[in-house]
Amino acid sequence: MKRLLLILAATVMTVLLCCSASADVIEEIPTLSELYREMPVHLRTFSDESQRVTSFAGPDNTYMSAGSYKPYKQEQISGLFIENGYMLIHLRYQTVEERYLYIKESSFDDKSNTPVISELTEWEGAAAYTVQPVWGPGREYQGISEKSISEGTYMTVFFRENGYFFAECADGTDIFRAWYPEDAIILKENEAE
């Protein structure tokens, strides 16, 4: 009986240490809204209202397409930062739910207050279970319906917000950045790159 209690106590200690280490790693990851303030930006309008601006789920056109948008239908767009010539934006649009995505910086009228960054700090992790990525950090954001990330899939985490991680992963031929509940990603227990 004594041996069983020692094994049980050791198991509990191991679980607590792992959870504590994960919590410490989570605390290292910056909160997006604390690091970058949302700045109002506006898509350039076209004389032909049928023209669209293409968006991506990452900072260049090799990432998965995230739809095309008609500038005249924009309700509100906030820019967070420019990376590799693409701006991460928080989009509110007439015909789709709000979302975070990337659009080429040349598509905007005024971006002077939007910071330009050379690279993001990364934390390594893996999907803890099969999970559907979403377009923003919260339950109110729509899932990316055509995507499901399998347990064990390698992921790179950049930010956290509202109990969600902003992370990049590959699924088949697509590479994309999206949001995942924090418990959906197991973080590697090492320092940021």
Side-chain angles (χ1 to χ4, degrees), residues 88-105:
L88 175 63
I89 63 166
H90 184 185
L91 174 72
R92 291 170 188 89
Y93 190 76
Q94 288 179 13
T95 57
V96 296
E97 294 81 8
E98 66 181 286
R99 54 193 57 197
Y100 287 78
L101 41 83
Y102 288 83
I103 292 180
K104 195 160 187 62
E105 71 173 304

Side-chain angles (χ1 to χ4, degrees), residues 5-19:
L5 287 174
L6 285 173
I7 292 170
L8 182 59
T11 303
V12 168
M13 287 301 290
T14 302
V15 168
L16 289 174
L17 287 173
C18 287
C19 291

